[in-house]
Every structure is written in structure tokens, then in C-alpha cells.
Amino acid sequence: MTDTPIKIRNLYKSYGSNEVLRGIDLDVQRGEVVCVIGPSGSGKSTLLHCINGLEAFDSGEIVFCSEYVGWGRESGGGRARVSERAMTKLRQRIGMVFQQFNLFPHMTVLDNITVAPIQVLGEERNNAIERARALLSKVGLAHKADAFPSQLSGGQQQRVAIARALAMQPEAMLFDEATSALDPELVGEVLGVMRHLADEGMTMVVVTHEIGFARDVADRIVFMDQGVVVEQGPPNDILTMPTNPRTREFLTRSLGA
Amino acid sequence: MDFEWHLFVDSLPSLLHGARTTVALAAAAAVFGLIIGVSLALLHATAFPPLVWLVTGWTTLMRSLPLLVTLLFLYYGLPSIGILLSAVTVAIIAMAITTGAFVTEIMRAGIESIDRGQIRAAKSLGMSWVQSMRLVVLPQAFRRVLPPLTNEAITLLKNTALVSVIAIPDLLRAGTDIMTWKANTFSPFAGVALVYLCLTLPLVALNAYLEQGIKRSQR
């Protein structure tokens, strides 16, 4: 167990000629909640996808709990691609929640939550079901265990998606604009679950447009723009006295001031 | 030449006997065709270029060749290189690889129609590629392609009529035999058409039902 489960050094990524990440450095401490804010196209989501290897990056390095993600270092000093097998293992330890929920529509809520623990971790079925039910009550959906995703509201689906990720007992959780696809009145219930998780000490990287959530829950806010970390610090400092003009401009626009 | 009712009725038992062969051939070819189709579609889904080219090349070839040509090629061509297969084996192979090519295309389209987010979610839960295909992508893809698969089954069933050219006593062959012996084409062929209809109509109905089901679930 390291105290810094996520270490990112000088991360670069481009899509063709479009440079999305241009030298990102970021450390996340155990139990820390880091909210990443910034205008769309700033590379926030790409950064998140790189952390659990859903996207490949061009250069730099990411270390998750002492394991290289994507690219590792060879003893000779060169770069070596981390095997797909090792990446699969690694992803079992990082939870991810997507903007579009991405629940499996052909499975019940309970099966959505238990499929990975049973099939991937080889957990005993009854055990997995018991834990799934506990997680469902935690997100307030104990009564929906046998429903299919299409029978749930967006907010309920996202809460199931959070339970599904937690069922793998991850060492960190990544939230990719988890509330952006929700109707405004459903945002609160999902943020509530996330807040609860943060209170329990989960290590979280949260890409969000919810500045209020970032202010109340984050230990640190990271402001990204055009593929770089422009400014970071405690919520109070970033939100009330941003030093960088780009941060100031972004906050003025998002807070509608 | 007139329609002779008694000849029509008399021919039915031997037609039904031929129909059994037709159904058995179609069923065997359907099973192997499905196995071929799903396997090739999965090879294609690996996105590994040599495999993708191989699968694309093979399915293009098999979809372009008339089944009759494949059938005759295997039946008359293979013995000249020393491979002797029974007519039934040749028929099943020819139909399985032909229908398999179409099933490959259907399954490939089905797999590609599954939202990328599903695969990302499966991966993020630590599933391997094989697990994500088996648990997440294929079950959804299958549901989506059931209507076109039943369509392919209808085509396959009707295409079995071609095997009569390599002397397999199928439904059509039973009809032509009666025609030869009784010197009457109309009555036995009315029977042949009727039996084919009885075989295909349930599949047509199933196809329509599944199409409706998909529409319902999309509402």
C-alpha cells in the first residue's frame, strides 16, 4: 500500500495532430478527493481514461499503486508496453463511473453488480450477491435489485453503476462527468452517493462541471485547460482567489457571475 | 396436363420423406453455419489486421459464389485431388460454409452495433477481451441479430433444393422422381411447393414476431 496510489508524470497524448494532454503531472494521495474542472476539450476525460488504461498515451508515465499503466520502464531504461493481461489485472483495482452509465442492458441490476466479482475475481456467488445487496442499500436502491436498467431513471442507473464499480472493491474510483447526462433534478441523488463515498475515505478523481460539489467535497481542485494543469489547490483558494486569468475566466462563466 | 387430385395425395408420403432429408440437411448446415459465423465474426472483432483480412476475404468469396457452383465444385472437383466425400457430406459442407459467410456478416454487424461504452465498462471492471465478448457483447448482439438470422435460416432452407443436383433424395428430388414415374408435373410439384411452404412459413412468422419484438423494445 502506497500513500500515493496515483502518480502521473509528464503525460502527453494526441489524437492525430490534436494534442489533448500536454505534460500533465498529478499525484493523488490515499483517501484524497481530487476534482478536475475545466472547459470541455481541456483533456479532463482523456486524462481519466488514461489512468485506468482505457486510452493509450504517447509519452510520460502513470503509476497506479506501484504498477505502471500503459507503458513501463525496462531495466535498461527504455519504454516497454505493459501487457494487456497486466492491464486487465490493474483495471480490477480501479473503479470507473461513466457519463453514460454504461450499465449492461441485458442483465438485471443485481447481475450488473455481481457479474465482475463472480467472473473476474472468482468470488463465490452467494457472497457476491450478499455484497451487491449491501451496496444497493448503500446507494438507496435495495428494492431495484431485480429491475432492468431500462426500467430505472438516469439517476438510479448511475447509482447502480457506482455500486457496480464498488463491488470490485477498488482502491480508487474515477468519475467521468458522472452527472452530466442527468436531468437537473436527478443530479443531487448521485452527488449524494459520491459525497458519502468521499466521507468514507475513498480515493477519488472526479471530473465534473458541478462546481458546488467540488467546493464542498474536494480536498483539492485541479483546473485544466488545453491539455495542461493550469492551477491547483484547496477549493477555497482556487474558487475564491484563482491566480491564473484562465481559471478566473472559466469560473466567472461557470458560476454565471 | 391436368391436376390429378389422387396423384397429389398419393405423392405426399414420399414428399414428406424427402422433406425429412431437407430439414435434416438444413438443420445440420444451420448449426455448422452458426458456429462458423460466430467464430469468424469474433476473429474479425479482434481487429488484428491479418485476421480481419482473412475473414473479410473468405466471406467475400463465399458470399459471391453461387451455392450451386460451390456444391458442384466440391462434389466433382474434390475427387480429382483424391478427396472422396459422400454427397450428404458435400451438401452440408457447401451449405455450411456459404451460410456461415452470411452469418459472419450478420454477427459482425451485430457486434459492431453494440455501443463502445459497453466494452469500456466491461474493461473497466477488469474483464478480459474474451470475457467482455462472452458476457457483455455477444448476448446483446445475438438479441439484435435474431431477425436477420431467421431470414438467413429461410434462405438456407430453400437453398437445400439445390442438393438434388448431386442426387440427394431431398424434397425436390422426391418430387422430380414422382414426376418422372407418373409423367405428371403439376400434381407432385403442387405438393412440393406446399411442403416447402409448410416448412418456411413458421420461420417467416418467427421472423416477423422477432422484428416486432425489437420494435417494441425500442419504444
Side-chain angles (χ1 to χ4, degrees):
Chain A
M1 288 277 159
T2 68
D3 293 332
T4 313
I6 300 172
K7 288 184 199 162
I8 301 169
R9 290 285 173 276
N10 208 18
L11 196 70
Y12 279 83
K13 166 156 185 87
S14 25
Y15 294 109
S17 61
N18 179 20
E19 285 194 303
V20 192
L21 300 176
R22 300 184 298 148
I24 301 278
D25 289 296
L26 186 67
D27 282 357
V28 180
Q29 309 302 322
R30 186 162 299 282
E32 194 183 15
V33 177
V34 173
C35 282
V36 184
I37 61 172
S40 20
S42 57
K44 317 178 292 279
S45 288
T46 307
L47 174 67
L48 219 54
H49 283 83
C50 285
I51 294 177
N52 71 349
L54 285 180
E55 296 252 14
F57 49 88
D58 303 328
S59 67
E61 65 185 37
I62 301 178
V63 178
F64 180 81
C65 292
S66 318
E67 309 245 14
Y68 283 109
V69 178
W71 293 94
R73 268 197 217 138
E74 279 176 327
S75 43
R79 257 156 57 98
R81 209 174 259 290
V82 177
S83 73
E84 191 50 42
R85 220 184 150 79
M87 290 299 299
T88 301
K89 275 266 177 228
L90 201 68
R91 287 192 198 101
Q92 297 167 13
R93 302 161 60 192
I94 313 174
M96 177 120 184
V97 176
F98 300 87
Q99 183 177 354
Q100 300 297 339
F101 331 135
N102 295 343
L103 291 180
F104 306 132
H106 59 301
M107 297 182 193
T108 63
V109 163
L110 200 65
D111 288 340
N112 261 281
I113 300 175
T114 56
V115 62
I118 293 172
Q119 300 282 344
V120 175
L121 299 179
E123 201 173 320
E124 209 243 319
R125 197 179 163 76
N126 288 334
N127 251 350
I129 290 176
E130 200 176 312
R131 275 198 316 109
R133 291 201 187 276
L135 284 168
L136 274 178
S137 4
K138 187 167 159 179
V139 300
L141 291 171
H143 56 298
K144 293 291 186 186
D146 299 318
F148 280 91
S150 59
Q151 298 164 320
L152 304 179
S153 73
Q156 292 172 329
Q157 289 192 48
Q158 194 60 300
R159 285 188 278 157
V160 172
I162 294 173
R164 177 176 71 173
L166 289 174
M168 293 294 284
Q169 300 179 296
E171 289 167 62
M173 288 279 285
L174 312 176
F175 292 85
D176 185 13
E177 303 196 14
T179 57
S180 298
L182 296 175
D183 291 336
E185 74 270 22
L186 301 177
V187 169
E189 62 190 61
V190 173
L191 292 183
V193 169
M194 290 165 63
R195 189 181 302 246
H196 187 68
L197 211 53
D199 290 343
E200 288 181 345
M202 175 62 79
T203 308
M204 292 163 62
V205 182
V206 182
V207 168
T208 187
H209 290 137
E210 299 289 333
I211 305 292
F213 176 83
R215 180 183 52 223
D216 297 347
V217 179
D219 296 306
R220 178 157 47 116
I221 289 182
V222 171
F223 173 70
M224 275 179 72
D225 191 18
Q226 295 171 13
V228 295
V229 172
V230 175
E231 192 169 359
Q232 56 177 312
N236 250 330
D237 298 2
I238 298 289
L239 297 178
T240 56
M241 3 170 214
T243 52
N244 192 294
R246 271 146 81 188
T247 319
R248 229 172 292 149
E249 192 200 344
F250 172 76
L251 288 173
T252 313
R253 264 186 289 123
S254 6
L255 297 174
Chain B
M1 199 167 292
D2 294 325
F3 181 78
E4 293 176 45
W5 186 251
H6 69 94
L7 185 54
F8 170 75
V9 173
D10 287 351
S11 65
L12 283 180
S14 52
L15 290 184
L16 289 177
H17 191 78
R20 270 169 43 191
T21 307
T22 290
V23 169
L25 283 176
V31 169
F32 289 120
L34 198 61
I35 294 170
I36 292 172
V38 173
S39 309
L40 293 186
L42 279 174
L43 290 184
H44 191 281
T46 60
F48 183 55
L51 287 179
V52 172
W53 298 330
L54 216 63
V55 170
T56 309
W58 174 253
T59 54
T60 305
L61 175 73
M62 290 320 298
R63 290 196 304 153
S64 312
L65 284 180
L67 175 58
L68 187 56
V69 173
T70 309
L71 209 54
L72 294 176
F73 178 80
L74 292 180
Y75 192 61
Y76 294 112
L78 287 184
S80 65
I81 56 165
I83 302 174
L84 278 167
L85 298 172
S86 73
V88 168
T89 312
V90 165
I92 292 175
I93 292 175
M95 290 193 298
I97 60 179
T98 303
T99 204
F102 286 95
V103 174
T104 304
E105 285 302 297
I106 292 169
M107 286 308 300
R108 186 189 56 71
I111 290 170
E112 281 169 6
S113 78
I114 302 302
D115 182 40
R116 295 277 311 149
Q118 291 288 307
I119 297 170
R120 285 177 171 245
K123 268 183 149 182
S124 80
L125 289 168
M127 289 187 197
S128 64
W129 185 83
V130 173
Q131 284 173 325
S132 68
M133 281 292 149
R134 179 168 63 87
L135 300 167
V136 176
V137 176
L138 280 183
Q140 294 183 61
F142 256 118
R143 250 162 252 212
R144 231 170 257 192
V145 300
L146 268 180
L149 279 184
T150 53
N151 240 340
E152 185 53 30
I154 295 167
T155 306
L156 174 65
L157 190 66
K158 292 191 297 178
N159 276 347
T160 55
L162 291 170
V163 304
S164 60
V165 300
I166 55 171
I168 291 176
D170 74 326
L171 172 54
L172 179 61
R173 187 76 177 198
T176 48
D177 283 351
I178 295 166
M179 179 190 80
T180 313
W181 295 120
K182 306 288 182 188
N184 179 315
T185 47
F186 192 15
S187 313
F189 271 112
V192 168
L194 182 71
V195 178
Y196 270 118
L197 264 182
C198 292
L199 294 178
T200 50
L201 279 181
L203 285 173
V204 173
L206 178 65
N207 177 262
Y209 172 77
L210 292 169
E211 293 267 9
Q212 278 311 112
I214 294 235
K215 269 187 205 137
R216 265 199 306 276
S217 70
Q218 279 169 349
R219 261 207 303 267

